[in-house]
């Protein structure tokens, strides 16, 4: 028997009404620092059928000791779970009762491009008081999610999608849960962007000091200081500001997920966070990964995996031998965690592990010496980095060099289409494929951790042609100025020069990460085949690919969805500050391609 309990404790913490706050001030709601409306309910209702209504409104949200502005859809954070069926038609009326323009993007779904929900690319924003009707067929099965493609997303405008297959599900299970991981801040996104632009890592409370106990030598500390970089600069926004949530519930809410001994349970795990990678584990229970980004893969048993922003993983667990198990989603920078508890009886407790030590960036994350392992140890000795060009510190024409002859910004390594300017502060010297890397901080743990190399498509892919050309795209940025881009050019500079693919073209795309941050790159409207060493025809399908710092990742694409599609980093403040492009597939009516 399949018992669908997607969000079991939604009703436990219901919203208490707040009096509507009125104001005659001309400034927008976000600038006033408060949102009008009621307190958002935690957890999702479930919507099914062929004609749905989703209503956007402003509210307030409370978790732990924090309270602040939020955006709800149908009154909850997350918004409703859409439970659909492969092969059905779907109509959604989006009603905007908020004070700002909005949209819904169907993340991972194959939809006509005019239904893709990206304001400025495929549609205008739905203005306050307006209603927009989406209409498209459901062409696939699996676990996905929806979200606004505006700055309402990090405030709560998101929710899960589960699509049941038209044919019998090849995976048997007795019960399932949808677990949506998110990060929420009481600070408005506009204010966060402002702080990121004007301050130096304003939310990093793990900066190195002369009195910390990080395993760094004096020489290494000097080297990092000369680069004006920090080995702890892992996440732009951290637990100092964020509360990490499971289905809208913070760690203090005591979210429980029931189980009976002997049951086989499917967990549909979605990373709907704005800026946070999570390391997911259930101490004492192995997990068998059966799907990635909604697409079935050969089962892989593991003890932990890192899930990038916008990715989804489905896993099977079989709880046994204890009354309770802790589900832990620890932020990659170890600044906090989201927690739920699997219980065989109400109130059963499981020990929640303490946060692990803050990981440190290494030479590999600078695109060098990829055999050095995960420690920031002595392999960095001897470096001597100069100031960055254009920094105003005497380095306007000087690259970031090391006394050993290495150059942190050797632009001769870049292809001619990459613009060299103040928005590019680093060039990876040896950006090798890092799909065998489990993620920062997980390369030295004493248990099994999933890597991209282990993912193999469960069924053969439909296009067995070899790619006819290679396109290389560089992920670029200046961390100090908080400028992000593709090929050194912010979207505002290339809005009339999209990435062009011919309809049905088979192309190989190599993403080179010339920064020290991991970027989850998302192409709308398509699945790509991750080149990870799997045999021909069995490369796993992904809608979002994490490119590790200083490394590269490659995918094959059949450009068979005509239209204009957003292509961007899914870290929302990277996207909004320039790491965004448009992929255009022509002709719109299909054709021979080339």
């Amino acid at each position: 028997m399949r018992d669908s309990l997607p969000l079991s404790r939604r009703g436990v913490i219901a919203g208490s009404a707040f009096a509507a706050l009125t104001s005659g001030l001309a400034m927008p709601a976000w600038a006033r620092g408060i949102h009008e409306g009621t307190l958002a309910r935690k957890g999702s209702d479930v919507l099914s059928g062929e004609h749905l209504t989703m209503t956007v409104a402003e509210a307030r949200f409370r978790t732990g000791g924090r309270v602040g502005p939020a955006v709800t859809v149908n009154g909850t954070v997350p918004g409703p779970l859409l439970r659909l069926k492969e092969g059905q038609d779907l109509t959604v009326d989006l009603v905007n009762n908020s004070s700002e323009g909005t949209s819904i993007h169907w993340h991972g779904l194959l939809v006509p491009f005019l239904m893709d929900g990206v304001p400025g690319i495929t549609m205008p924003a739905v203005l306050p008081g307006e209603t927009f009707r989406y209409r498209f067929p459901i062409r696939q099965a699996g676990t996905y999610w929806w979200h606004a493609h505006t700055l309402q997303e990090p405030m709560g405008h998101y929710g899960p999608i589960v699509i049941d297959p038209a044919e019998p599900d090849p995976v048997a299970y007795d019960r399932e849960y949808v677990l949506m991981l998110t990060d929420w801040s009481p600070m408005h996104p506009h204010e966060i962007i402002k702080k990121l632009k004007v301050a130096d890592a304003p939310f990093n409370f793990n900066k190195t000091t002369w009195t910390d106990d990080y395993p760094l030598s004096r020489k290494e500390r000097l080297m990092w200081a000369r680069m004006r970089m920090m080995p702890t600069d892992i996440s732009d926004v951290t637990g100092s500001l964020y509360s990490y949530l499971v289905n809208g519930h913070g760690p203090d809410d005591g979210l429980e997920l029931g189980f009976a001994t002997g049951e086989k349970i499917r967990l549909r795990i979605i990373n709907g966070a704005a800026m946070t990678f999570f390391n997911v584990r259930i101490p004492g229970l192995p997990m068998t990964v059966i799907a990635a980004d909604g697409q079935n893969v050969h089962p892989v048993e593991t003890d932990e995996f890192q899930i990038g922003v916008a990715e989804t993983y489905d896993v099977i667990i079989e709880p046994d031998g204890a009354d309770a198990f802790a589900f832990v989603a620890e932020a990659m920078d170890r600044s906090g965690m989201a927690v739920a508890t699997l219980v065989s009886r109400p109130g059963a407790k499981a020990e929640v592990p303490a946060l692990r030590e803050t990981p440190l960036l290494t030479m590999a994350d600078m695109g060098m010496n990829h055999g050095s392992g995960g420690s920031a140890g002595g392999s960095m000795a001897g470096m001597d980095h100069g100031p960055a060009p254009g920094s105003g510190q005497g380095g306007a024409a000087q690259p970031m060099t090391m006394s050993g002859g290495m150059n942190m910004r050797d632009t001769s390594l870049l292809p001619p289409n990459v613009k060299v300017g103040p928005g590019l502060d680093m060039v990876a010297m040896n950006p090798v494929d890092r799909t065998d890397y489990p993620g920062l901080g997980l390369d030295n743990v004493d248990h099994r951790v999933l890597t991209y190399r282990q993912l193999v498509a469960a069924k053969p892919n439909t296009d067995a042609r070899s790619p006819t050309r290679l396109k290389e795209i560089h992920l670029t940025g200046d961390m100090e100025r908080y400028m992000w881009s593709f090929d050194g050019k912010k979207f505002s500079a290339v809005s009339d020069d999209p990435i062009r693919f011919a309809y049905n073209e088979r192309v190989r795309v190599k993403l080179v990460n010339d920064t020290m941050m991991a970027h989850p790159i998302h192409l709308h409207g398509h699945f790509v085949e991750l080149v990870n060493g799997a045999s021909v025809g069995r490369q796993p399908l992904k809608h979002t690919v994490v490119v590790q710092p200083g490394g590269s990742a490659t995918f094959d694409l059949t450009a068979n969805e005509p239209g204009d599609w957003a292509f961007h980093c899914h870290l929302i403040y990277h996207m909004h500050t320039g790491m965004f492009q448009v992929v255009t597939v022509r002709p719109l009516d299909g054709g021979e391609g080339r």
Side-chain angles (χ1 to χ4, degrees):
M1 179 184 70
R2 180 184 303 177
D3 184 9
S4 177
L5 297 173
L7 299 168
S8 64
R9 283 175 56 88
R10 175 190 57 74
V12 172
I13 302 177
S16 60
F18 269 52
L21 301 173
T22 58
S23 172
L25 298 176
M27 65 179 65
W30 69 265
R32 296 199 299 271
I34 55 174
H35 265 200
E36 301 172 353
T38 60
L39 194 67
R41 287 189 290 124
K42 297 179 179 179
S44 301
D45 298 317
V46 180
L47 295 182
S48 295
E50 294 196 346
H51 194 158
L52 313 176
T53 299
M54 300 172 70
T55 302
V56 181
E58 285 150 358
R60 293 176 67 75
F61 186 77
R62 183 194 302 275
T63 184
R66 292 167 170 164
V67 60
V71 173
T72 63
V73 178
N74 292 6
T76 62
V77 173
L81 161 65
L82 308 188
R83 186 98 203 194
L84 307 172
K85 183 79 173 180
E86 183 182 10
Q88 74 164 82
D89 292 322
L90 180 65
T91 299
V92 176
D93 289 334
L94 172 62
V95 181
N96 187 3
N97 286 342
S98 74
S99 64
E100 298 181 355
T102 192
S103 74
I104 294 179
H105 164 59
W106 315 96
H107 190 104
L109 266 59
L110 302 173
V111 300
F113 82 98
L114 292 176
M115 296 287 104
D116 194 43
V118 183
I121 304 299
T122 61
M123 60 179 286
V126 182
L127 298 177
E130 290 185 343
T131 296
F132 182 84
R133 175 164 290 180
Y134 294 91
R135 182 178 291 160
F136 51 86
I138 301 300
R139 300 164 51 191
Q140 61 205 91
T143 304
Y144 306 95
W145 63 299
W146 56 265
H147 60 82
H149 225 280
T150 71
L151 285 179
Q152 289 187 335
E153 179 197 339
M155 303 178 72
H157 188 327
Y158 48 72
I161 300 173
V162 174
I163 305 174
D164 294 312
E167 302 295 329
D169 197 322
V171 180
Y173 52 91
D174 304 299
R175 188 193 298 253
E176 66 177 347
Y177 289 105
V178 177
L179 301 176
M180 190 158 202
L181 310 177
T182 55
D183 46 20
W184 175 82
S185 159
M187 185 180 294
H188 194 282
H190 287 168
E191 189 66 21
I192 294 175
I193 289 178
K194 178 181 176 181
K195 290 182 179 296
L196 289 170
K197 293 289 287 185
V198 302
D200 181 17
F203 305 112
N204 182 3
F205 285 19
N206 289 317
K207 295 177 181 177
T208 53
T209 68
W210 288 110
T211 58
D212 67 53
D213 58 357
Y214 295 125
L216 295 167
S217 68
R218 180 176 181 276
K219 199 167 189 177
E220 289 163 349
R221 291 174 185 273
L222 287 172
M223 181 273 295
W224 282 102
R226 286 174 182 145
M227 290 193 295
R228 294 175 318 289
M229 294 179 178
M230 288 173 289
T232 60
D233 194 4
I234 297 164
S235 299
D236 295 338
V237 189
T238 70
S240 66
L241 187 65
Y242 276 149
S243 295
Y244 300 113
L245 311 176
V246 181
N247 296 346
H249 295 268
D252 296 338
D253 292 340
L255 179 63
E256 293 182 348
L257 312 168
F259 73 86
T261 299
E263 279 188 322
K264 183 178 287 188
I265 300 175
R266 180 175 190 156
L267 303 181
R268 300 178 183 268
I269 303 166
I270 303 166
N271 187 350
M275 294 292 288
T276 306
F277 282 43
F278 291 102
N279 297 328
V280 175
R281 70 190 196 277
I282 306 174
L285 276 186
M287 301 177 286
T288 300
V289 178
I290 57 168
D293 287 0
Q295 301 297 298
N296 292 335
V297 297
H298 284 173
V300 182
E301 187 172 289
T302 191
D303 299 307
E304 187 168 10
F305 61 87
Q306 187 168 95
I307 182 169
V309 171
E311 291 187 303
T312 75
Y313 284 105
D314 289 23
V315 304
I316 295 291
I317 59 170
E318 298 182 61
D320 194 9
D323 289 338
F325 297 88
F327 173 88
V328 177
E330 184 181 51
M332 180 171 65
D333 67 344
R334 313 279 167 81
S335 63
M337 64 173 67
V339 177
T341 307
L342 293 150
V343 297
S344 60
R345 55 178 174 78
K349 301 297 181 184
E351 182 179 358
V352 177
L355 289 170
R356 294 173 288 192
E357 293 185 358
T358 303
L360 299 177
L361 296 169
T362 71
M363 291 182 67
D365 302 309
M366 291 186 281
M368 296 179 291
N369 193 5
H370 289 266
S372 62
S375 169
S379 58
M380 302 176 83
M383 300 179 188
D384 183 13
H385 301 256
S391 66
Q393 300 180 33
Q398 302 174 33
M400 299 170 68
T401 58
M402 306 175 193
S403 59
M406 291 185 287
N407 185 346
M408 282 288 293
R409 193 174 181 270
D410 184 358
T411 56
S412 69
L413 299 174
L414 296 171
N417 62 303
V418 177
K419 181 181 178 182
V420 177
L424 189 152
D425 69 353
M426 176 184 134
V427 178
M429 295 180 64
N430 184 26
V432 299
D433 183 302
R434 299 188 74 190
T435 53
D436 61 343
Y437 185 59
L440 185 62
L442 297 182
D443 53 343
N444 55 3
V445 297
D446 60 0
H447 54 253
R448 297 169 295 180
V449 183
L450 183 76
T451 73
Y452 273 174
R453 292 278 176 90
Q454 295 176 282
L455 299 178
V456 178
K459 63 179 183 181
N461 297 323
T462 57
D463 193 345
R465 295 177 298 163
S466 296
T468 55
R469 69 175 171 121
L470 171 67
K471 181 168 184 60
E472 184 171 298
I473 299 172
H474 285 246
L475 319 183
T476 47
D478 185 315
M479 298 175 73
E480 190 173 9
R481 291 184 172 88
Y482 211 73
M483 299 170 65
W484 302 100
S485 57
F486 288 122
D487 291 335
K489 291 164 279 195
K490 296 174 63 174
F491 178 58
S492 56
V494 294
S495 57
D496 59 348
D497 186 18
I499 298 170
R500 302 175 192 275
F501 295 130
Y503 175 76
N504 211 32
E505 180 181 14
R506 184 79 168 159
V507 60
R508 174 160 291 187
V509 178
K510 181 178 181 180
L511 303 174
V512 178
N513 189 350
D514 287 308
T515 80
M516 292 181 64
M517 303 200 80
H519 297 282
I521 303 300
H522 174 45
L523 173 60
H524 288 218
H526 295 77
F527 282 101
V528 302
E529 299 175 27
L530 182 66
V531 178
N532 66 340
S535 60
V536 174
R538 293 286 185 169
Q539 296 177 152
L541 300 179
K542 297 277 291 173
H543 53 58
T544 305
V545 174
V546 174
V547 190
Q548 297 292 346
S552 67
T554 302
F555 62 79
D556 292 337
L557 170 70
T558 299
N560 57 2
E561 299 288 342
D564 295 328
W565 303 102
F567 175 70
H568 60 91
C569 176
H570 221 284
L571 298 176
I572 196 161
Y573 300 122
H574 291 193
M575 179 180 72
H576 275 266
T577 55
M579 193 175 278
F580 187 101
Q581 244 289 21
V582 174
V583 165
T584 184
V585 179
R586 292 292 191 274
L588 290 177
D589 58 354
E592 293 294 329
R594 65 177 186 180

